[in-house]
Amino acid sequence: MSKLPNISGKQCIKALKKIGFYQKRRESSHIILRRDNPFTQVVVPDHKTLAKGTLRAIIKGADLSIEDFINLL
């Protein structure tokens, strides 16, 4: 398993947009991203650095492996 990178919420959103996610709405400092096919929705905090557990949950919610996510960066 690859090591999780230290990235910001904006970097995470940019990577997820490459695979079809788009911003559905924003609630305070949390951005809700959605993909229509296959339907998936994830919440990304707009923080300077994402916690490792939060990033791992976002990657899992997007049905990606850590390696696939790192390649999107």
Side-chain angles (χ1 to χ4, degrees):
M1 183 187 304
S2 296
K3 185 177 178 186
L4 283 171
N6 287 323
I7 62 169
S8 69
K10 291 190 186 307
Q11 290 172 308
C12 181
I13 291 166
K14 187 175 178 182
L16 291 174
K17 284 186 175 184
K18 291 179 183 177
I19 57 168
F21 282 87
Y22 61 93
Q23 182 173 336
K24 176 69 176 163
R25 65 182 186 276
R26 181 183 183 108
E27 293 182 9
S28 186
S29 67
H30 291 77
I31 299 167
I32 292 86
L33 299 175
R34 180 178 281 178
R35 179 176 62 192
D36 292 328
N37 193 9
F39 179 81
T40 309
Q41 188 166 295
V42 293
V43 179
V44 179
D46 189 13
H47 297 162
K48 288 184 180 180
T49 304
L50 293 177
K52 299 290 184 184
T54 303
L55 181 56
R56 183 168 277 127
I58 291 168
I59 293 170
K60 185 177 179 182
D63 289 330
L64 293 172
S65 68
I66 294 172
E67 292 81 13
D68 290 339
F69 182 78
I70 291 171
N71 290 336
L72 290 173
L73 297 174

mmCIF file of all heavy atoms in Angstrom, residues 10-53:
data_model
loop_
_atom_site.group_PDB
_atom_site.id
_atom_site.type_symbol
_atom_site.label_atom_id
_atom_site.label_comp_id
_atom_site.label_asym_id
_atom_site.label_seq_id
_atom_site.Cartn_x
_atom_site.Cartn_y
_atom_site.Cartn_z
ATOM 1 N N LYS A 10 -8.304 21.548 -1.716
ATOM 2 C CA LYS A 10 -8.365 22.008 -3.103
ATOM 3 C C LYS A 10 -7.644 21.047 -4.039
ATOM 4 O O LYS A 10 -8.109 20.783 -5.147
ATOM 5 C CB LYS A 10 -7.782 23.411 -3.228
ATOM 6 C CG LYS A 10 -8.635 24.476 -2.571
ATOM 7 C CD LYS A 10 -8.163 25.855 -2.933
ATOM 8 C CE LYS A 10 -8.874 26.954 -2.193
ATOM 9 N NZ LYS A 10 -10.297 26.961 -2.248
ATOM 10 N N GLN A 11 -6.495 20.505 -3.614
ATOM 11 C CA GLN A 11 -5.768 19.536 -4.432
ATOM 12 C C GLN A 11 -6.577 18.251 -4.599
ATOM 13 O O GLN A 11 -6.596 17.656 -5.673
ATOM 14 C CB GLN A 11 -4.414 19.221 -3.801
ATOM 15 C CG GLN A 11 -3.432 20.355 -3.861
ATOM 16 C CD GLN A 11 -2.184 20.053 -3.056
ATOM 17 O OE1 GLN A 11 -2.267 19.688 -1.878
ATOM 18 N NE2 GLN A 11 -1.027 20.214 -3.679
ATOM 19 N N CYS A 12 -7.252 17.838 -3.539
ATOM 20 C CA CYS A 12 -8.091 16.642 -3.592
ATOM 21 C C CYS A 12 -9.245 16.844 -4.571
ATOM 22 O O CYS A 12 -9.538 15.969 -5.384
ATOM 23 C CB CYS A 12 -8.613 16.328 -2.188
ATOM 24 S SG CYS A 12 -9.640 14.871 -2.102
ATOM 25 N N ILE A 13 -9.879 17.996 -4.512
ATOM 26 C CA ILE A 13 -10.995 18.299 -5.405
ATOM 27 C C ILE A 13 -10.526 18.314 -6.857
ATOM 28 O O ILE A 13 -11.189 17.766 -7.744
ATOM 29 C CB ILE A 13 -11.640 19.639 -5.008
ATOM 30 C CG1 ILE A 13 -12.354 19.493 -3.672
ATOM 31 C CG2 ILE A 13 -12.596 20.140 -6.086
ATOM 32 C CD1 ILE A 13 -12.748 20.810 -3.027
ATOM 33 N N LYS A 14 -9.375 18.914 -7.108
ATOM 34 C CA LYS A 14 -8.827 18.985 -8.459
ATOM 35 C C LYS A 14 -8.591 17.580 -9.026
ATOM 36 O O LYS A 14 -8.896 17.301 -10.188
ATOM 37 C CB LYS A 14 -7.520 19.783 -8.443
ATOM 38 C CG LYS A 14 -6.948 20.076 -9.789
ATOM 39 C CD LYS A 14 -5.723 20.971 -9.669
ATOM 40 C CE LYS A 14 -5.102 21.243 -11.020
ATOM 41 N NZ LYS A 14 -3.896 22.059 -10.911
ATOM 42 N N ALA A 15 -8.072 16.671 -8.188
ATOM 43 C CA ALA A 15 -7.828 15.295 -8.622
ATOM 44 C C ALA A 15 -9.141 14.571 -8.906
ATOM 45 O O ALA A 15 -9.259 13.854 -9.905
ATOM 46 C CB ALA A 15 -7.024 14.546 -7.564
ATOM 47 N N LEU A 16 -10.149 14.752 -8.043
ATOM 48 C CA LEU A 16 -11.421 14.061 -8.233
ATOM 49 C C LEU A 16 -12.174 14.575 -9.459
ATOM 50 O O LEU A 16 -12.893 13.821 -10.112
ATOM 51 C CB LEU A 16 -12.286 14.194 -6.979
ATOM 52 C CG LEU A 16 -11.782 13.431 -5.747
ATOM 53 C CD1 LEU A 16 -12.639 13.747 -4.534
ATOM 54 C CD2 LEU A 16 -11.740 11.936 -6.009
ATOM 55 N N LYS A 17 -12.000 15.848 -9.797
ATOM 56 C CA LYS A 17 -12.656 16.397 -10.984
ATOM 57 C C LYS A 17 -12.143 15.736 -12.258
ATOM 58 O O LYS A 17 -12.859 15.671 -13.255
ATOM 59 C CB LYS A 17 -12.484 17.911 -11.049
ATOM 60 C CG LYS A 17 -13.385 18.638 -10.076
ATOM 61 C CD LYS A 17 -13.308 20.144 -10.247
ATOM 62 C CE LYS A 17 -14.327 20.825 -9.341
ATOM 63 N NZ LYS A 17 -14.350 22.276 -9.528
ATOM 64 N N LYS A 18 -10.926 15.213 -12.237
ATOM 65 C CA LYS A 18 -10.358 14.542 -13.407
ATOM 66 C C LYS A 18 -11.103 13.262 -13.754
ATOM 67 O O LYS A 18 -11.033 12.795 -14.887
ATOM 68 C CB LYS A 18 -8.881 14.224 -13.171
ATOM 69 C CG LYS A 18 -7.999 15.444 -13.114
ATOM 70 C CD LYS A 18 -6.554 15.051 -12.864
ATOM 71 C CE LYS A 18 -5.669 16.266 -12.730
ATOM 72 N NZ LYS A 18 -4.276 15.894 -12.410
ATOM 73 N N ILE A 19 -11.805 12.672 -12.783
ATOM 74 C CA ILE A 19 -12.520 11.424 -13.044
ATOM 75 C C ILE A 19 -14.033 11.619 -13.012
ATOM 76 O O ILE A 19 -14.780 10.681 -12.759
ATOM 77 C CB ILE A 19 -12.091 10.302 -12.069
ATOM 78 C CG1 ILE A 19 -12.308 10.714 -10.614
ATOM 79 C CG2 ILE A 19 -10.672 9.875 -12.332
ATOM 80 C CD1 ILE A 19 -12.184 9.577 -9.633
ATOM 81 N N GLY A 20 -14.494 12.843 -13.261
ATOM 82 C CA GLY A 20 -15.915 13.069 -13.454
ATOM 83 C C GLY A 20 -16.684 13.652 -12.291
ATOM 84 O O GLY A 20 -17.899 13.802 -12.389
ATOM 85 N N PHE A 21 -16.036 13.973 -11.184
ATOM 86 C CA PHE A 21 -16.743 14.596 -10.068
ATOM 87 C C PHE A 21 -16.946 16.079 -10.358
ATOM 88 O O PHE A 21 -16.136 16.701 -11.035
ATOM 89 C CB PHE A 21 -15.965 14.437 -8.759
ATOM 90 C CG PHE A 21 -16.100 13.079 -8.136
ATOM 91 C CD1 PHE A 21 -15.254 12.048 -8.497
ATOM 92 C CD2 PHE A 21 -17.076 12.833 -7.192
ATOM 93 C CE1 PHE A 21 -15.372 10.791 -7.929
ATOM 94 C CE2 PHE A 21 -17.207 11.583 -6.613
ATOM 95 C CZ PHE A 21 -16.361 10.564 -6.979
ATOM 96 N N TYR A 22 -18.029 16.629 -9.867
ATOM 97 C CA TYR A 22 -18.294 18.060 -9.983
ATOM 98 C C TYR A 22 -18.854 18.556 -8.657
ATOM 99 O O TYR A 22 -19.362 17.788 -7.853
ATOM 100 C CB TYR A 22 -19.252 18.370 -11.133
ATOM 101 C CG TYR A 22 -20.617 17.724 -11.001
ATOM 102 C CD1 TYR A 22 -21.673 18.400 -10.394
ATOM 103 C CD2 TYR A 22 -20.852 16.438 -11.481
ATOM 104 C CE1 TYR A 22 -22.924 17.812 -10.262
ATOM 105 C CE2 TYR A 22 -22.092 15.844 -11.357
ATOM 106 C CZ TYR A 22 -23.123 16.537 -10.750
ATOM 107 O OH TYR A 22 -24.351 15.940 -10.620
ATOM 108 N N GLN A 23 -18.742 19.869 -8.440
ATOM 109 C CA GLN A 23 -19.201 20.446 -7.176
ATOM 110 C C GLN A 23 -20.717 20.568 -7.196
ATOM 111 O O GLN A 23 -21.276 21.264 -8.026
ATOM 112 C CB GLN A 23 -18.572 21.812 -6.941
ATOM 113 C CG GLN A 23 -18.974 22.418 -5.618
ATOM 114 C CD GLN A 23 -18.219 23.696 -5.310
ATOM 115 O OE1 GLN A 23 -17.126 23.915 -5.807
ATOM 116 N NE2 GLN A 23 -18.812 24.535 -4.487
ATOM 117 N N LYS A 24 -21.366 19.885 -6.277
ATOM 118 C CA LYS A 24 -22.822 19.946 -6.152
ATOM 119 C C LYS A 24 -23.227 21.167 -5.339
ATOM 120 O O LYS A 24 -24.094 21.932 -5.733
ATOM 121 C CB LYS A 24 -23.326 18.654 -5.499
ATOM 122 C CG LYS A 24 -24.800 18.615 -5.227
ATOM 123 C CD LYS A 24 -25.592 18.535 -6.511
ATOM 124 C CE LYS A 24 -27.067 18.408 -6.171
ATOM 125 N NZ LYS A 24 -27.888 18.718 -7.304
ATOM 126 N N ARG A 25 -22.594 21.320 -4.175
ATOM 127 C CA ARG A 25 -22.880 22.480 -3.332
ATOM 128 C C ARG A 25 -21.768 22.635 -2.315
ATOM 129 O O ARG A 25 -20.886 21.803 -2.192
ATOM 130 C CB ARG A 25 -24.225 22.344 -2.637
ATOM 131 C CG ARG A 25 -24.320 21.222 -1.637
ATOM 132 C CD ARG A 25 -25.729 21.142 -1.044
ATOM 133 N NE ARG A 25 -25.797 20.164 -0.002
ATOM 134 C CZ ARG A 25 -25.994 18.873 -0.176
ATOM 135 N NH1 ARG A 25 -26.142 18.397 -1.394
ATOM 136 N NH2 ARG A 25 -26.049 18.047 0.839
ATOM 137 N N ARG A 26 -21.833 23.731 -1.593
ATOM 138 C CA ARG A 26 -20.846 24.023 -0.546
ATOM 139 C C ARG A 26 -21.598 24.385 0.726
ATOM 140 O O ARG A 26 -22.513 25.198 0.696
ATOM 141 C CB ARG A 26 -19.955 25.179 -0.979
ATOM 142 C CG ARG A 26 -18.908 25.523 0.021
ATOM 143 C CD ARG A 26 -18.092 26.723 -0.430
ATOM 144 N NE ARG A 26 -17.057 26.963 0.536
ATOM 145 C CZ ARG A 26 -15.770 26.729 0.337
ATOM 146 N NH1 ARG A 26 -15.367 26.292 -0.826
ATOM 147 N NH2 ARG A 26 -14.899 26.951 1.282
ATOM 148 N N GLU A 27 -21.197 23.769 1.821
ATOM 149 C CA GLU A 27 -21.786 24.083 3.117
ATOM 150 C C GLU A 27 -20.650 24.465 4.053
ATOM 151 O O GLU A 27 -19.895 23.609 4.505
ATOM 152 C CB GLU A 27 -22.561 22.888 3.664
ATOM 153 C CG GLU A 27 -23.792 22.561 2.828
ATOM 154 C CD GLU A 27 -24.590 21.398 3.394
ATOM 155 O OE1 GLU A 27 -24.296 20.953 4.516
ATOM 156 O OE2 GLU A 27 -25.490 20.945 2.688
ATOM 157 N N SER A 28 -20.498 25.757 4.280
ATOM 158 C CA SER A 28 -19.428 26.288 5.122
ATOM 159 C C SER A 28 -18.076 25.901 4.521
ATOM 160 O O SER A 28 -17.786 26.268 3.399
ATOM 161 C CB SER A 28 -19.603 25.801 6.556
ATOM 162 O OG SER A 28 -18.660 26.417 7.397
ATOM 163 N N SER A 29 -17.265 25.138 5.240
ATOM 164 C CA SER A 29 -15.956 24.770 4.716
ATOM 165 C C SER A 29 -15.938 23.372 4.100
ATOM 166 O O SER A 29 -14.876 22.808 3.860
ATOM 167 C CB SER A 29 -14.914 24.838 5.832
ATOM 168 O OG SER A 29 -15.181 23.844 6.794
ATOM 169 N N HIS A 30 -17.110 22.806 3.833
ATOM 170 C CA HIS A 30 -17.195 21.470 3.245
ATOM 171 C C HIS A 30 -17.797 21.558 1.850
ATOM 172 O O HIS A 30 -18.843 22.185 1.660
ATOM 173 C CB HIS A 30 -18.021 20.538 4.129
ATOM 174 C CG HIS A 30 -17.338 20.207 5.408
ATOM 175 N ND1 HIS A 30 -17.284 21.085 6.459
ATOM 176 C CD2 HIS A 30 -16.650 19.112 5.792
ATOM 177 C CE1 HIS A 30 -16.605 20.525 7.455
ATOM 178 N NE2 HIS A 30 -16.204 19.338 7.066
ATOM 179 N N ILE A 31 -17.135 20.905 0.904
ATOM 180 C CA ILE A 31 -17.577 20.920 -0.487
ATOM 181 C C ILE A 31 -18.090 19.526 -0.820
ATOM 182 O O ILE A 31 -17.394 18.530 -0.623
ATOM 183 C CB ILE A 31 -16.416 21.333 -1.406
ATOM 184 C CG1 ILE A 31 -15.963 22.742 -1.032
ATOM 185 C CG2 ILE A 31 -16.832 21.262 -2.866
ATOM 186 C CD1 ILE A 31 -14.655 23.163 -1.619
ATOM 187 N N ILE A 32 -19.321 19.462 -1.327
ATOM 188 C CA ILE A 32 -19.944 18.198 -1.679
ATOM 189 C C ILE A 32 -19.735 17.980 -3.172
ATOM 190 O O ILE A 32 -20.169 18.790 -3.991
ATOM 191 C CB ILE A 32 -21.447 18.188 -1.317
ATOM 192 C CG1 ILE A 32 -21.640 18.196 0.203
ATOM 193 C CG2 ILE A 32 -22.117 16.937 -1.864
ATOM 194 C CD1 ILE A 32 -21.640 19.518 0.838
ATOM 195 N N LEU A 33 -19.046 16.878 -3.500
ATOM 196 C CA LEU A 33 -18.775 16.535 -4.886
ATOM 197 C C LEU A 33 -19.630 15.349 -5.278
ATOM 198 O O LEU A 33 -19.866 14.445 -4.472
ATOM 199 C CB LEU A 33 -17.299 16.179 -5.081
ATOM 200 C CG LEU A 33 -16.280 17.258 -4.768
ATOM 201 C CD1 LEU A 33 -14.876 16.704 -4.900
ATOM 202 C CD2 LEU A 33 -16.460 18.438 -5.691
ATOM 203 N N ARG A 34 -20.066 15.335 -6.530
ATOM 204 C CA ARG A 34 -20.929 14.263 -7.010
ATOM 205 C C ARG A 34 -20.442 13.791 -8.367
ATOM 206 O O ARG A 34 -19.937 14.568 -9.165
ATOM 207 C CB ARG A 34 -22.363 14.761 -7.115
ATOM 208 C CG ARG A 34 -23.327 13.689 -7.619
ATOM 209 C CD ARG A 34 -24.725 14.208 -7.672
ATOM 210 N NE ARG A 34 -25.267 14.173 -6.319
ATOM 211 C CZ ARG A 34 -26.480 14.599 -6.004
ATOM 212 N NH1 ARG A 34 -27.259 15.105 -6.922
ATOM 213 N NH2 ARG A 34 -26.910 14.528 -4.763
ATOM 214 N N ARG A 35 -20.627 12.494 -8.612
ATOM 215 C CA ARG A 35 -20.385 11.890 -9.926
ATOM 216 C C ARG A 35 -21.655 11.147 -10.290
ATOM 217 O O ARG A 35 -22.204 10.417 -9.475
ATOM 218 C CB ARG A 35 -19.190 10.942 -9.856
ATOM 219 C CG ARG A 35 -18.890 10.258 -11.176
ATOM 220 C CD ARG A 35 -17.651 9.415 -11.102
ATOM 221 N NE ARG A 35 -17.838 8.355 -10.106
ATOM 222 C CZ ARG A 35 -16.866 7.592 -9.649
ATOM 223 N NH1 ARG A 35 -15.635 7.772 -10.041
ATOM 224 N NH2 ARG A 35 -17.113 6.653 -8.752
ATOM 225 N N ASP A 36 -22.126 11.329 -11.512
ATOM 226 C CA ASP A 36 -23.409 10.747 -11.902
ATOM 227 C C ASP A 36 -23.309 9.287 -12.333
ATOM 228 O O ASP A 36 -24.224 8.515 -12.084
ATOM 229 C CB ASP A 36 -24.043 11.577 -13.026
ATOM 230 C CG ASP A 36 -24.466 12.948 -12.526
ATOM 231 O OD1 ASP A 36 -24.847 13.066 -11.343
ATOM 232 O OD2 ASP A 36 -24.412 13.908 -13.309
ATOM 233 N N ASN A 37 -22.233 8.894 -13.008
ATOM 234 C CA ASN A 37 -22.177 7.535 -13.535
ATOM 235 C C ASN A 37 -20.821 6.916 -13.253
ATOM 236 O O ASN A 37 -19.839 7.298 -13.897
ATOM 237 C CB ASN A 37 -22.443 7.556 -15.036
ATOM 238 C CG ASN A 37 -22.709 6.175 -15.581
ATOM 239 O OD1 ASN A 37 -22.860 5.216 -14.837
ATOM 240 N ND2 ASN A 37 -22.763 6.079 -16.886
ATOM 241 N N PRO A 38 -20.686 5.973 -12.330
ATOM 242 C CA PRO A 38 -21.708 5.511 -11.394
ATOM 243 C C PRO A 38 -21.916 6.547 -10.290
ATOM 244 O O PRO A 38 -20.989 7.267 -9.943
ATOM 245 C CB PRO A 38 -21.110 4.235 -10.814
ATOM 246 C CG PRO A 38 -19.635 4.441 -10.908
ATOM 247 C CD PRO A 38 -19.419 5.265 -12.157
ATOM 248 N N PHE A 39 -23.129 6.606 -9.766
ATOM 249 C CA PHE A 39 -23.470 7.637 -8.789
ATOM 250 C C PHE A 39 -22.619 7.481 -7.529
ATOM 251 O O PHE A 39 -22.575 6.418 -6.923
ATOM 252 C CB PHE A 39 -24.946 7.577 -8.406
ATOM 253 C CG PHE A 39 -25.309 8.615 -7.376
ATOM 254 C CD1 PHE A 39 -25.542 9.914 -7.768
ATOM 255 C CD2 PHE A 39 -25.372 8.303 -6.036
ATOM 256 C CE1 PHE A 39 -25.844 10.885 -6.834
ATOM 257 C CE2 PHE A 39 -25.674 9.261 -5.089
ATOM 258 C CZ PHE A 39 -25.917 10.562 -5.501
ATOM 259 N N THR A 40 -21.933 8.547 -7.175
ATOM 260 C CA THR A 40 -21.122 8.605 -5.967
ATOM 261 C C THR A 40 -21.108 10.041 -5.470
ATOM 262 O O THR A 40 -21.081 10.964 -6.275
ATOM 263 C CB THR A 40 -19.665 8.176 -6.252
ATOM 264 O OG1 THR A 40 -19.669 6.939 -6.935
ATOM 265 C CG2 THR A 40 -18.877 8.029 -4.981
ATOM 266 N N GLN A 41 -21.125 10.199 -4.169
ATOM 267 C CA GLN A 41 -21.061 11.530 -3.575
ATOM 268 C C GLN A 41 -20.075 11.500 -2.416
ATOM 269 O O GLN A 41 -20.133 10.601 -1.585
ATOM 270 C CB GLN A 41 -22.446 11.961 -3.102
ATOM 271 C CG GLN A 41 -22.530 13.393 -2.635
ATOM 272 C CD GLN A 41 -23.965 13.862 -2.504
ATOM 273 O OE1 GLN A 41 -24.670 13.944 -3.489
ATOM 274 N NE2 GLN A 41 -24.384 14.145 -1.292
ATOM 275 N N VAL A 42 -19.166 12.472 -2.393
ATOM 276 C CA VAL A 42 -18.182 12.568 -1.307
ATOM 277 C C VAL A 42 -18.137 13.997 -0.792
ATOM 278 O O VAL A 42 -18.462 14.939 -1.510
ATOM 279 C CB VAL A 42 -16.764 12.124 -1.748
ATOM 280 C CG1 VAL A 42 -16.714 10.653 -2.060
ATOM 281 C CG2 VAL A 42 -16.284 12.937 -2.924
ATOM 282 N N VAL A 43 -17.748 14.139 0.467
ATOM 283 C CA VAL A 43 -17.621 15.453 1.093
ATOM 284 C C VAL A 43 -16.138 15.705 1.349
ATOM 285 O O VAL A 43 -15.465 14.894 1.985
ATOM 286 C CB VAL A 43 -18.403 15.504 2.424
ATOM 287 C CG1 VAL A 43 -18.235 16.863 3.079
ATOM 288 C CG2 VAL A 43 -19.869 15.191 2.191
ATOM 289 N N VAL A 44 -15.652 16.836 0.832
ATOM 290 C CA VAL A 44 -14.243 17.189 0.984
ATOM 291 C C VAL A 44 -14.156 18.482 1.789
ATOM 292 O O VAL A 44 -14.689 19.507 1.368
ATOM 293 C CB VAL A 44 -13.556 17.379 -0.385
ATOM 294 C CG1 VAL A 44 -12.096 17.758 -0.202
ATOM 295 C CG2 VAL A 44 -13.691 16.125 -1.234
ATOM 296 N N PRO A 45 -13.477 18.461 2.945
ATOM 297 C CA PRO A 45 -13.288 19.697 3.703
ATOM 298 C C PRO A 45 -12.302 20.608 2.969
ATOM 299 O O PRO A 45 -11.302 20.134 2.449
ATOM 300 C CB PRO A 45 -12.709 19.249 5.039
ATOM 301 C CG PRO A 45 -12.704 17.766 5.031
ATOM 302 C CD PRO A 45 -12.958 17.306 3.644
ATOM 303 N N ASP A 46 -12.588 21.883 2.940
ATOM 304 C CA ASP A 46 -11.716 22.856 2.293
ATOM 305 C C ASP A 46 -10.695 23.345 3.320
ATOM 306 O O ASP A 46 -10.745 24.479 3.774
ATOM 307 C CB ASP A 46 -12.539 24.013 1.721
ATOM 308 C CG ASP A 46 -11.711 24.941 0.857
ATOM 309 O OD1 ASP A 46 -10.574 24.559 0.502
ATOM 310 O OD2 ASP A 46 -12.186 26.037 0.546
ATOM 311 N N HIS A 47 -9.762 22.449 3.682
ATOM 312 C CA HIS A 47 -8.744 22.746 4.678
ATOM 313 C C HIS A 47 -7.375 22.782 4.016
ATOM 314 O O HIS A 47 -7.192 22.233 2.934
ATOM 315 C CB HIS A 47 -8.738 21.685 5.781
ATOM 316 C CG HIS A 47 -10.014 21.632 6.547
ATOM 317 N ND1 HIS A 47 -10.365 20.550 7.312
ATOM 318 C CD2 HIS A 47 -11.032 22.507 6.682
ATOM 319 C CE1 HIS A 47 -11.541 20.769 7.895
ATOM 320 N NE2 HIS A 47 -11.969 21.958 7.508
ATOM 321 N N LYS A 48 -6.407 23.408 4.700
ATOM 322 C CA LYS A 48 -5.052 23.491 4.153
ATOM 323 C C LYS A 48 -4.402 22.119 4.059
ATOM 324 O O LYS A 48 -3.666 21.836 3.126
ATOM 325 C CB LYS A 48 -4.184 24.419 4.994
ATOM 326 C CG LYS A 48 -4.546 25.869 4.845
ATOM 327 C CD LYS A 48 -3.603 26.752 5.625
ATOM 328 C CE LYS A 48 -4.001 28.210 5.451
ATOM 329 N NZ LYS A 48 -3.108 29.096 6.203
ATOM 330 N N THR A 49 -4.654 21.268 5.035
ATOM 331 C CA THR A 49 -4.132 19.903 5.029
ATOM 332 C C THR A 49 -5.235 18.960 5.484
ATOM 333 O O THR A 49 -5.841 19.178 6.528
ATOM 334 C CB THR A 49 -2.923 19.769 5.979
ATOM 335 O OG1 THR A 49 -1.935 20.723 5.603
ATOM 336 C CG2 THR A 49 -2.318 18.381 5.907
ATOM 337 N N LEU A 50 -5.482 17.916 4.702
ATOM 338 C CA LEU A 50 -6.492 16.925 5.068
ATOM 339 C C LEU A 50 -5.873 15.890 6.003
ATOM 340 O O LEU A 50 -4.740 15.448 5.781
ATOM 341 C CB LEU A 50 -7.032 16.227 3.820
ATOM 342 C CG LEU A 50 -7.836 17.077 2.851
ATOM 343 C CD1 LEU A 50 -8.235 16.251 1.635
ATOM 344 C CD2 LEU A 50 -9.063 17.656 3.515
ATOM 345 N N ALA A 51 -6.612 15.504 7.022
ATOM 346 C CA ALA A 51 -6.166 14.453 7.925
ATOM 347 C C ALA A 51 -6.093 13.135 7.151
ATOM 348 O O ALA A 51 -6.833 12.919 6.191
ATOM 349 C CB ALA A 51 -7.127 14.324 9.104
ATOM 350 N N LYS A 52 -5.184 12.264 7.555
ATOM 351 C CA LYS A 52 -4.979 10.996 6.844
ATOM 352 C C LYS A 52 -6.258 10.154 6.799
ATOM 353 O O LYS A 52 -6.601 9.591 5.774
ATOM 354 C CB LYS A 52 -3.854 10.185 7.501
ATOM 355 C CG LYS A 52 -2.524 10.862 7.496
ATOM 356 C CD LYS A 52 -1.937 10.932 6.115
ATOM 357 C CE LYS A 52 -0.540 11.534 6.205
ATOM 358 N NZ LYS A 52 0.052 11.722 4.903
ATOM 359 N N GLY A 53 -6.970 10.074 7.925
ATOM 360 C CA GLY A 53 -8.202 9.290 7.958
ATOM 361 C C GLY A 53 -9.278 9.880 7.081
ATOM 362 O O GLY A 53 -10.032 9.152 6.416
#
